[in-house]
Amino acid sequence: MDDEEKIARGVARGIARHEAARADAQGRQLLGCLLMIAIFGVGFILLIRYGG
C-alpha cells in the first residue's frame, strides 16, 4: 500500500465522520424543533381552554 492510498483512505474516513456528525446534529435539531412546537401547542390549547 502506498502513501496515496493511505491518504485517500484517511480523507474518506474523515469525510464519513464529518457526515455522520452533521446528520446527528440535524437529528437533534429536528427533535428540538418538534419539542418546541409541542410545548407551544400545549400552551396554546391551555390558553384557549382556561384563559380569559
Side-chain angles (χ1 to χ4, degrees):
M1 179 184 330
D2 60 347
D3 289 339
E4 286 182 19
E5 287 180 24
K6 288 180 184 177
I7 292 170
R9 204 169 284 174
V11 168
R13 236 188 337 246
I15 290 172
R17 281 189 199 146
H18 175 72
E19 288 297 317
R22 190 172 63 85
D24 188 42
Q26 281 182 334
R28 273 187 264 124
Q29 184 179 11
L30 177 63
L31 288 176
C33 289
L34 289 175
L35 180 62
M36 287 188 59
I37 290 170
I39 290 171
F40 283 122
V42 169
F44 183 73
I45 290 170
L46 291 175
L47 178 67
I48 297 298
R49 180 122 171 114
Y50 299 112

